[in-house]
Structures are given as structure tokens and as C-alpha cells.
Amino acid sequence: MALAAPVEEDFGSDEQISKQVFQTYECKSIGKGKPHAGDIAEPSSLSAIPLPPSDYPLWDSLPPEVVEQGKLSQLQLEGVLYACSRHQQILPSGQRAGFFIGDGAGVGKGRQIAGVILDNYIRGRRRHLWLSTSTDLHVDAGRDLRDLGAHIPLINGCAGLDRGTRALGLAKDLQEGVLFLTYSTLISAGKGGRSRMEQVVEWLVVEWLVGGTNSSPQPQAGSSKAGDTAAAAAAAGAQAWDGLIVLDECHKAKNFTPGKEAQSTKVASAVIDLQAMLPNARVLYCSATGVSEVANMAYMERMGLWGPASPFPDFAAFLESMRKRGVSFMELLAMEMKAAGRYVARGLSFRQAEFLQVEAPLIPEKVAQYDAAVALWQSLRSKLEMALQLAGIDKRDVWKTYWAAQQRFFKLLCVGLKLDTVIAEAKAALASGMCVVIGLQSTGEAAADAMGLEPGPLPGFVSPCKEMLLRFIQLNFPEHAAQSPEAAAMGLQPEAIPACRAMKQQLLAQLAQLDLPPNFLDQLIDELGGPSTVAEMTGRKGRVVREQRKGPAAAAAAGLSQRVVYELRAKPDSSEMDSLNVTEREAFLSGKKRVALISDAASTGISLHAAATAANRSQRRLHLTIELPWSADKAIQQLGRSHRTNQVSAPLYKLVVSAAGGERRFAAAVARRLQSLGALTRGDRRAAAGVDLSDSNFDTPWGRKSLRKMELRGCCDMMGIGLSGRSNDSVVEDRIKDTVSAAAKDANAAAAPGAKDLGDVRRFLNRLLGLPLGRQNLLFNYFAATLAAEIAAARAEGRYTEGVSDIQGSSISLARPPQLLWGAASGGSEAGAAAQTWVNTLQVDRGMTFEDAARRLAHESFPGCLSGFRRSRRPMFGSHLVLLALQKPGQKHLFSLVRPNTGEAFYDMERGELDEKYVRLAPEAAQEEWAAQHAASLGSCIHGAACASKATCQVGRRLTEVTILSGSVVRVWGVLESVLERRSRELHNKADRTMRVR
């Protein structure tokens, strides 16, 4: 956290956005163990933060061979050590503190979980709970325990517990160990009407019910005291039980809203209730994608981020602060969490992976197809509005359904726009000897189910888009007048409305004539060689395929016929479906099938990378993402299928996007969540995944401000889009005026009902989808240009931050000893040292010598570049200024600037402005002036002797002071913001930034 000294205007900057997002991970906290096998990286912002010292006696419990033989690598041992250390602490709320393993693919979360279980088991805690997402992961859990030599019973599910009785108790192999459950099992009903939650807690805490070692006399089953004694024992045991609860893939517990439990998911509520029932439990959160949305963090109550003695009294205050203060605050919080020993976040390096974005061109046929669909939706909207009025039906629910259906429809249609490009990319990769992985989300199975398809021939491929629109019209377009509850109770038939029926028939006739693309999943399989060459890893039960030719070998060699059939992927009423994705994966890894299609159902637990043990390890993976998910965690999980540890080659990722402006809606959604995820779990908004979608995040304060400046009421009415709604209706838009002039006039009525909706970027992008492509792109480009201008202005004023910044200079030193700003002067506990805030005043020499500038010019020059030294055309403050202009790679008209007194500038300059202000200068001609300015600026400002405040003026001075707040800054952030606001006129740069000193 840095505050610049008061200045007027500067010609350079002592800070830069850190270009290095990741660094090779170095384990500095322990000296034992063998190095990890994979190339592991850590976000640069976190690598600068050391973990606190730990005195936990881990080596007393772990068998020597676990450490000496590398069964747990050094970084895995570090995760186990700090999890166990954290579990020794009791939060001010009285609950035991939890630990968060946020490691990504390649680190081995399962091994670390097994290590924590082993430590607890050896120390006498013999019953533990392991929650995960799938029963298939039980095998992996058992393997991780066995690999450590831990022969601890692993109980799969509650079936064994169901067989136990009060009289006979449980079988011996069920009386201790690790109970492995899925989240769905936890929320299910148990035997005898009890919930699984009650059954699980009882097994964990009430030893005498299962024949434990408790020496107190056991009441006889059926006695009058048995029930009361059991309840008392359960309550006492629940408070005292200190075993381990592993919340593996804990992002499954998201979507909990305090105070609105009815709207929360059952899994989220169950996980929170479980932690409340067992306050002394050792909770271990594990997920690489645990915080894609700050609002989804409510289940992490053992992290100590809110509650007594924390900066936030409750989760609601924490959530409000995160939303108000933005991504920079999350980055700072992540660093403080690591400094306090609350979590670790390492991951497999993306160093060898490549990321490209491919834009699919809009061919005339696709444009006509899209625009025809738009015309039908607009006709539907107009007719539906008339029909609802005629029928007297409440509009709110219908319009919610309308906008949701339109969004899903055009999301699928946008994927269809890209298929030709995707198929061409896949075929080119196959021809070059690569394997292809295609990631998507939708499968179109809902359309097949709605049609009631049965195995057999079909007239052609099924269009999910057409079926979706057909279902909406059939279910939501009224043909009868609204009926009162009393009339319905009397069994009266509703009155038919001929005008509504006629409009509905017109729409159905228009839909029948509409040319819409088939299911893109079926089309991809068909175009890339059929099921015999494409491995499909999805959750759908059936698919439409082209029938294989049968008969003589010559006919069979001709390939696929023109006849299409609907076929089931597995035999009905069999277990084939459960293992089908695994079978398809093996076919891909063995080289029998060179193309893999994966949907959300196969985005976890499936490895498709070029593993050293795979038969097709020599074939590099091309991973094509053609449909982005709504959530960041799903995006990262899917990218991780083809990039894992022990791989021969890293994948080539290609994100395929269309030129439709409305499709940016889906990239914007996942980009926003990726930034939140990276900021809170990695300490850098760019570090959530190897791919950087930051340019696609339009739902920012700058995006919302830009949207309000666009006079959208006039523009949108002209283009038939509309955004705002009536004050009592947040969904359906209101046609503001009938004429363009009236709408334009109303654009300035910021206080009018619905004016707040003009800043809703997500709604704006949603509505763009329903415009013809030409108008859609025109309006989107208008928005993008406004946003670019807004960001440029914010950068110039120092109000725009893009991530963790580095304070750079030729030399950086402490100007005076650090001063304690907040917290106790002594104390080694988390409430002491980790909660202190220090003020550090640094003296930074920003200048660059001519020799260093010349070396940089030689290093960064390339053939045809226009880099070189420049001299100002007009004198400034009595002399001409020199600088070094470096053309940015891949940019013909953009230059970064380096000055002798202030080093590298924070802002780039366009070539037109550069040529207007500066003339080219040969290096030998620039050397003398550069050296003179470098020497003169050491202790004086750029204004020279005539400066009225030369003693304090910092403009252009080489030596400048920067104040850094270190330690626990989160606790004083609110006060800091108030001070910055009050003293804004005195500060050149009042923005608060997250920085590190290099």
C-alpha cells in the first residue's frame, strides 16, 4: 500500500504495473523434504509475502519415510504444516480456526489432505469427515492415503452406518477412520427419517453408541434414559469433538445468503450448519476456485475474516466492504491472509503453455441467419406485449422468462457463428500431428428430451435453438383471458381470445420457416469424423449421429451415409453410463480417438494432458474453448483438464470468439469473476488462470460510468433496444417515448425512474444480443470507445489501477526507521505482530544513466522499429528535454518513454503526439544533454531556480519520497480512505494502490 508525496505534475513515475504475474515457487519455510516434481509457480504478489514462522511439531508425528522418501514433497509438507498450525488456534468467536488450501492443478491437494489426516490420526483423533463432489473421487482419496503408508479405514458413504444398530453397534472396520461423503449425500435423508447430517455427526462424536472406549456405563437399549442420555452425549460430544472436516472442492458450498436461507442452496446451508454444530472441529477448505464471487464466501466462517476482533463484524459487512472497495482491496486481503498463515495458493506453471484468441469472421450466410432470428424475437416481443394486455395477465413473470430465454437462445446461436472456424482449427491441428480438446458447456439434451426423441431415424439434425423458442411460445404466449381463482375453483373454462390465437399461429409459422443451426455438439462430432474418432465426455444420454454405412468393404470405405439417427450413448438400465466418460477418456489417451469434446460434466476429475504415461504423449494438445461458462471456477476447472503435472508438452489454448458485440456479454461475466478469484485467492487479479481476460471485463465502475455517459435512452430507442424499466419493474424495459426526439430529451433526466438501470452493464450487453449484428456491433463499439476514453482519463489523473504495482528505481532506501501506526508494539500472536500496521518512508532514485538507456535501446530494438532518443521541439523551463522512446512490440503507433530524471513513464504515448512534441536525435548527440539532465535533477525539480517552492517541489526530481503502509492494512483501510478524500487537493495521486518494492 503506497501513498505518493504531494506533487503537482510529473513527467515520469516511480511505479509500474508488475509485468510478472507468476514466479517459480520456492519453499522457504521448511528445510526438510524433497523438491516437488512439477514446475510450480506462485503469483508474484504472494511470493513477496513470507509465511509466518511455525513451531508445530509435525515431524514428531509423520513417519520418517514420508519425508525422506518424498511421499510428501517439500511444498506439500509446507501445506500440511501450516494447516496443522492454524488448527491450533481458537478464534475470538470461540470456534477453532480453519485453513484454506487454494492450490491449483499439479500441487497435489489430495496428498496434503492425506497428510493432515495422518497427523491427526497418529495424535489420537480417530474419526474424520472428508466431503467431496463425486463418489468417483473415493478411489483417489484411498490412493492418496495408501501412498503415504497410512492404512486408515476409508468408509465410502453411509451404507455401512445404516446397517449398525443400537444393540449390536457398528462393524469393527466402521468404528474409526475417515468417512468419505459427497455433498449431495450430506443433504439427503437417512435411515428412519433422520437426516444424513444427524447420522454423520452422531458417528463423529458419540463414541458409546458404536462401542467406543468410553468407560461410563452404557444404558440399555429401550430404557427410559436411553434417549435423553444419547441426546446429552451428542450435544456434549459435538461441542468437544476436535477431529478433521475436509471440505474438498469447497466451492460447491457457494450461494448462501445470510438472512435469506430459503434462497440459499441446500449444500451451502448444510456446510454452514455442520461447522456451527461442531465448533471445535478442525476445518480444512480445499479448492483452486473457492472465491469466484465474494458473495459466495459465506461458508468460510472459520477463516476469521469477519466476526469478533476482525475488521468486519459479520459477513454482510465484509461483503459490502469488498464490493465497495473493489479488486485492489481483495488483492491486499489475500496477501494478509498468507502473512497470517491462513492459506497457501500454488499451482502448476503456465510457462510452457500458449494462449491465443481467435476471432471467427462473420460470413454473410451466418449474419442473415442471426438477423432473421432477431426479427422473429422482436416480432414475438411486440405480439407478446399485445397479447398480455388483451388477456389481462401479470407481465412480470412472463418478461423474466422472456429475457432469460432470449439470452440462452442467442448464447447458443453465437456458438453456431463460430463452428466453421472451430472445425477448421481442429482439422489443421490434427493434420499437424496434434490432439484436439474442445471445451463447451451446453449439450442440447434438454431439446431432445422436450421432443421425446426415441432411438431411430430422424429427418435431420435437431436444432436446440428452434426447440427452445418453440417451447417458450407454446408455454408462455396466452390464448385465453386471465381467470380469477374463484372461476378456476368452479371449474369454468377460460375465455378464448381469437386475436391472441392468431398471433401465436403467425409466430409458429415464422419459426417453422426459420433457418437455425443444428446442435453444435452433434455437428462437431459429424464434421470431425463421427463417434469412432471423437471421444465425447459429457453428461447427455443420447445424441444424433450420421448412420455408419454397412455392407461390402467398398461401401463401408465410403464413410458415413446421409441418414441421421438418434442413438443412446449407453444401454438403458445399465451401469455403462456411469463409466462412459472414463471409457472415452481412455480411448482418447490411447490414441484411438484424437478429438475430445468435454462439457461441464467432465470438467473435474478427467485428465486429458500429454502425460508421460499416455500412449499419445507425443501429440501436443490444442485446447479450443468455444463456449465460456458463467462461472470462473468452471472455466479454470475445464482449462485444467489438458494442463497438469507430469506432462511431456504443455497445451496450446485458443479461445474462439465471434465478431458479434453481444457475445462479449459471456466473456465479460467470466472475466469479472476471474478477476475476483485471482485477487482474493492469488493476491493478483490477473493470476486466476494462465489466460488473461481482463480486457473483456466491462462490468467495472469505469464501464458503468461510461454507459451512463452514452445518452442511451435516445440511442437505444432509435435502435429498438431500450434498457431502463419502471420503478416497480426491474426486468421489463419501458418504452420511454414514442419519438426519438422525446427519448433523446429524456436522456438527461438522471433522476427519472429507472435511470439507475442506465449503468447496468450486464443488462446492456444482454439486450445487445437481441439486435441485428450491424446495429449490435455499432452500439458495442460506441460503448467500447467511451470506456477507452474514460479509462485514459482516469489513468492521466492517477485514478486507475490495473493490479499490483512495483516501485522501481536505480536505488531504493529507507529514509527513516519504520514507525508503528496501529497495533501493539510487541506480541508474537496473530492478534499481535500480524495485526500491526507500519509506516515506511522510502527514498527512491528514479533516474536512469545514459549508459543504462543505451543498453535498453539495444536490447529492445527490432528490425523496422522506430525506437530511439528524442529531443523536445520547444524548450521547457528554460531548456530542451531529452527522452528515450521505445516502440512497443506489436504496436506500430504506441511508445513507452524513459527520461533521465524520472525513468520509465507510467503512461505510453501515441506516435502522432510524440512526433509533434519531439524530434529524433542520434545517440551521440543525446549523450551530453542526457547526462546533464540526469545530474541536475538529483536534488532539484524540473522548474529550475525560478521555482517558488523549490525546497519542497518534487516535479521531475530524481529523488522522491514514497510512503508505504505495510503489515495489516485491511484494518485501517476505511480510515485511510477518509484521509485521502479529505486531503485530495494536497495529493497529486490520491489513489490507494497495492505495491511491492523491488
Side-chain angles (χ1 to χ4, degrees):
M1 176 68 184
L3 301 176
V7 294
E8 300 170 10
E9 180 184 4
D10 211 343
F11 292 89
S13 174
D14 49 5
E15 64 178 83
Q16 269 192 328
I17 295 298
S18 176
K19 297 178 181 178
Q20 189 172 13
V21 181
F22 293 95
Q23 287 188 346
T24 300
Y25 182 75
E26 297 181 23
C27 184
K28 303 175 183 177
S29 58
I30 58 176
K32 296 184 178 183
K34 293 188 175 182
H36 196 71
D39 181 12
I40 303 302
E42 185 180 31
S44 299
S45 54
L46 289 185
S47 68
I49 307 295
L51 286 162
S54 172
D55 57 1
Y56 184 80
L58 179 65
W59 322 115
D60 296 346
S61 63
L62 291 185
E65 61 270 16
V66 171
V67 179
E68 296 169 1
Q69 297 177 15
K71 293 181 178 180
L72 283 174
S73 68
Q74 192 176 50
L75 68 85
Q76 290 170 342
L77 286 168
E78 183 180 61
V80 174
L81 172 66
Y82 281 92
C84 294
S85 298
R86 176 71 175 167
H87 288 156
Q88 295 294 98
Q89 301 175 21
I90 302 298
L91 298 174
S93 64
Q95 295 180 312
R96 188 177 293 275
F99 188 77
F100 181 18
I101 296 180
D103 294 334
V107 177
K109 291 191 294 293
R111 284 289 182 95
Q112 294 177 77
I113 293 171
V116 177
I117 291 174
L118 180 59
D119 175 80
N120 279 275
Y121 197 83
I122 290 175
R123 294 182 189 278
R125 292 180 283 271
R126 296 302 178 95
R127 295 185 187 178
H128 309 286
L129 177 63
W130 187 335
L131 289 167
S132 193
T133 56
S134 170
T135 54
D136 296 341
L137 298 177
H138 168 264
V139 177
D140 296 334
R143 180 203 62 212
D144 288 325
L145 285 168
R146 288 193 303 273
D147 288 347
L148 298 187
H151 300 288
I152 301 173
L154 186 64
I155 306 167
N156 188 12
C158 291
L161 304 187
D162 289 339
R163 291 192 292 270
T165 65
R166 288 287 183 97
L168 301 177
L170 291 173
K172 187 175 182 180
D173 58 348
L174 299 177
Q175 293 183 11
E176 66 178 31
V178 180
L179 179 60
F180 187 93
L181 289 182
T182 63
Y183 290 102
S184 57
T185 301
L186 183 68
I187 62 175
S188 63
K191 186 178 179 182
R194 289 193 307 165
S195 69
R196 287 296 187 194
M197 173 92 75
E198 294 172 335
Q199 185 180 24
V200 168
V201 170
E202 182 180 276
W203 180 81
L204 290 172
V205 304
V206 186
E207 294 186 358
W208 69 271
L209 287 175
V210 290
T213 58
N214 195 307
S215 59
S216 60
Q218 301 179 16
Q220 296 297 317
S223 69
S224 59
K225 297 182 180 180
D228 294 339
T229 306
Q239 293 294 316
W241 183 78
D242 61 350
L244 181 68
I245 297 177
V246 178
L247 300 176
D248 194 11
E249 304 295 348
C250 59
H251 55 270
K252 293 295 182 182
K254 62 184 182 181
N255 297 326
F256 181 85
T257 306
K260 298 181 180 178
E261 284 73 12
Q263 301 176 15
S264 306
T265 63
K266 291 183 179 180
V267 170
S269 298
V271 167
I272 290 176
D273 290 344
L274 181 65
Q275 294 176 87
M277 293 169 68
L278 303 169
N280 203 34
R282 291 165 158 79
V283 179
L284 184 61
Y285 306 100
C286 300
S287 175
T289 56
V291 197
S292 57
E293 283 279 5
V294 181
N296 293 336
M297 293 181 63
Y299 67 91
M300 289 188 176
E301 54 185 26
R302 298 295 186 91
M303 292 298 293
L305 298 176
W306 57 85
S310 74
F312 314 102
D314 52 31
F315 177 72
F318 172 80
L319 180 59
E320 181 184 2
S321 180
M322 289 290 152
R323 287 175 169 170
K324 176 184 175 183
R325 291 162 180 164
V327 181
S328 295
F329 189 73
M330 298 181 198
E331 291 170 332
L332 197 61
L333 182 62
M335 289 184 270
E336 291 197 16
M337 285 167 60
K338 182 185 176 184
R342 300 179 185 182
Y343 94 123
V344 290
R346 297 79 49 99
L348 186 63
S349 172
F350 283 90
R351 188 174 290 110
Q352 303 300 324
E354 297 178 70
F355 295 88
L356 297 174
Q357 184 165 300
V358 179
E359 184 170 296
L362 295 175
I363 60 175
E365 294 82 0
K366 297 290 186 182
V367 173
Q369 187 181 70
Y370 192 100
D371 289 352
V374 168
L376 180 54
W377 274 97
Q378 290 179 344
S379 176
L380 170 60
R381 179 167 168 241
S382 174
K383 288 181 170 60
L384 183 60
E385 191 168 9
M386 294 171 57
L388 291 174
Q389 290 178 353
L390 290 172
I393 294 176
D394 180 24
K395 301 178 181 181
R396 177 184 292 268
D397 292 337
V398 176
W399 286 120
K400 285 182 179 180
T401 308
Y402 172 89
W403 291 119
Q406 186 191 77
Q407 186 183 52
R408 292 194 301 271
F409 176 93
F410 284 109
K411 188 174 190 286
L412 293 180
L413 198 56
C414 285
V415 177
L417 295 176
K418 301 180 285 190
L419 276 193
D420 292 340
T421 301
V422 172
I423 292 168
E425 290 280 347
K427 289 183 176 179
L430 293 172
S432 65
M434 300 175 73
C435 284
V436 178
V437 178
I438 301 177
L440 42 84
Q441 297 298 312
S442 310
T443 63
E445 186 169 38
D449 290 343
M451 294 178 65
L453 293 181
E454 296 290 340
L458 292 176
F461 285 99
V462 175
S463 172
C465 292
K466 181 170 287 190
E467 291 305 315
M468 183 186 302
L469 186 48
L470 177 63
R471 286 203 309 276
F472 176 82
I473 295 174
Q474 290 176 336
L475 296 176
N476 296 281
F477 200 96
E479 296 184 57
H480 301 86
Q483 196 175 29
S484 66
E486 294 79 9
M490 294 172 61
L492 299 178
Q493 294 297 318
E495 179 185 356
I497 305 175
C500 292
R501 180 168 296 177
M503 287 189 289
K504 184 173 184 177
Q505 293 305 316
Q506 290 174 6
L507 289 170
L508 293 175
Q510 285 180 265
L511 178 58
Q513 298 299 319
L514 196 62
D515 177 28
L516 291 172
N519 186 335
F520 55 81
L521 186 54
D522 292 334
Q523 188 176 353
L524 282 170
I525 294 174
D526 185 58
E527 293 281 353
L528 295 176
S532 61
T533 59
V534 178
E536 178 187 343
M537 281 161 274
T538 68
R540 64 175 182 169
K541 300 183 291 292
R543 59 190 174 190
V544 179
V545 298
R546 201 176 299 276
E547 191 176 40
Q548 197 79 30
R549 290 186 185 275
K550 298 180 180 180
L560 299 172
S561 71
Q562 296 302 311
R563 188 184 183 202
V564 297
V565 297
Y566 178 76
E567 68 173 20
L568 297 177
R569 296 182 61 215
K571 295 178 182 179
D573 302 324
S574 71
S575 60
E576 285 185 20
M577 194 66 199
D578 296 336
S579 59
L580 186 56
N581 286 341
V582 176
T583 303
E584 290 284 77
R585 180 196 65 184
E586 295 305 319
F588 176 77
L589 294 177
S590 67
K592 295 178 181 177
K593 299 182 179 183
R594 295 181 58 200
V595 179
L597 295 178
I598 57 173
S599 71
D600 182 37
S603 292
T604 56
I606 295 288
S607 298
L608 303 174
H609 61 298
T613 56
N616 62 352
R617 57 185 174 274
S618 61
Q619 298 173 341
R620 190 185 184 190
R621 275 41 169 174
L622 169 65
H623 191 131
L624 294 167
T625 298
I626 66 173
E627 185 186 11
L628 285 170
W630 289 112
S631 63
D633 47 4
K634 290 183 179 180
I636 294 173
Q637 292 284 2
Q638 197 171 90
L639 291 176
R641 298 312 96 207
S642 55
H643 182 57
R644 306 185 73 78
T645 192
N646 195 32
Q647 62 188 9
V648 175
S649 60
L652 168 60
Y653 291 105
K654 289 189 178 182
L655 174 60
V656 185
V657 297
S658 72
E663 198 196 9
R664 307 299 178 92
R665 162 69 176 101
F666 311 113
V670 70
R672 180 173 61 86
R673 290 174 171 88
L674 280 171
Q675 286 196 347
S676 296
L677 175 65
L680 246 178
T681 61
R682 299 287 193 271
D684 193 323
R685 68 195 71 181
R686 302 164 294 169
V691 59
D692 184 9
L693 291 176
S694 56
D695 290 341
S696 297
N697 185 14
F698 304 109
D699 191 12
T700 64
W702 309 110
R704 294 187 282 273
K705 186 176 181 180
S706 301
L707 203 55
R708 295 188 190 101
K709 287 189 173 183
M710 288 173 56
E711 294 190 3
L712 278 178
R713 290 180 182 255
C715 293
C716 294
D717 192 78
M718 283 188 289
M719 306 185 81
I721 177 174
L723 285 174
S724 66
R726 289 185 291 274
S727 58
N728 62 347
D729 190 343
S730 61
V731 178
V732 59
E733 64 180 83
D734 185 20
R735 290 287 184 96
I736 301 170
K737 299 294 179 185
D738 293 329
T739 63
V740 173
S741 59
K745 180 180 179 180
D746 196 40
N748 298 321
K756 63 179 182 179
D757 295 335
L758 292 180
D760 192 334
V761 176
R762 282 175 281 184
R763 178 172 296 176
F764 166 70
L765 294 174
N766 282 344
R767 300 301 188 262
L768 273 186
L769 289 166
L771 286 180
L773 283 172
R775 294 183 180 184
Q776 184 179 128
N777 290 339
L778 179 63
L779 193 53
F780 177 79
N781 290 338
Y782 177 27
F783 168 64
T786 308
L787 176 59
E790 195 66 36
I791 290 176
R795 278 198 178 108
E797 297 172 10
R799 296 181 292 110
Y800 186 77
T801 59
E802 298 173 90
V804 178
S805 301
D806 289 333
I807 294 182
Q808 295 185 329
S810 57
S811 69
I812 302 175
S813 60
L814 275 171
R816 58 189 68 95
Q819 295 179 318
L820 183 65
L821 176 67
W822 188 90
S826 62
S829 66
E830 181 180 344
Q836 294 174 342
T837 306
W838 293 86
V839 179
N840 307 271
T841 304
L842 306 178
Q843 188 173 68
V844 181
D845 185 347
R846 303 179 291 174
M848 180 178 289
T849 64
F850 178 80
E851 291 74 20
D852 289 340
R855 280 192 292 269
R856 182 162 178 182
L857 174 61
H859 178 70
E860 298 189 20
S861 294
F862 53 89
C865 76
L866 300 175
S867 300
F869 291 94
R870 301 260 182 156
R871 186 173 187 260
S872 62
R873 294 183 182 274
R874 290 176 293 185
M876 297 182 67
F877 308 110
S879 63
H880 291 274
L881 301 181
V882 293
L883 56 77
L884 173 62
L886 298 168
Q887 183 177 338
K888 299 180 77 69
Q891 302 281 345
K892 294 182 179 180
H893 303 288
L894 198 62
F895 292 77
S896 58
L897 307 180
V898 181
R899 294 183 171 89
N901 54 334
T902 57
E904 184 163 0
F906 191 68
Y907 313 112
D908 299 326
M909 185 176 287
E910 294 281 351
R911 181 182 176 183
E913 183 182 1
L914 184 66
D915 291 339
E916 180 184 350
K917 295 181 177 180
Y918 298 89
V919 64
R920 294 178 65 87
L921 195 65
E924 53 273 12
Q927 183 172 5
E928 184 177 348
E929 292 184 57
W930 186 287
Q933 291 178 25
H934 181 264
S937 60
L938 177 62
S940 62
C941 65
I942 200 170
H943 304 126
C947 182
S949 55
K950 56 184 177 182
T952 58
C953 182
Q954 299 289 318
V955 179
R957 189 191 294 260
R958 270 175 54 193
L959 293 180
T960 185
E961 285 193 352
V962 176
T963 301
I964 297 285
L965 298 184
S966 61
S968 179
V969 183
V970 170
R971 294 174 180 270
V972 298
W973 190 285
V975 176
L976 181 64
E977 283 183 325
S978 300
V979 172
L980 289 174
E981 189 64 33
R982 289 200 308 269
R983 307 293 293 271
S984 60
R985 293 185 179 181
E986 304 170 38
L987 296 173
H988 161 63
N989 178 4
K990 71 173 183 177
D992 34 28
R993 302 180 189 277
T994 304
M995 297 184 179
R996 60 180 182 174
V997 182
R998 301 187 68 177

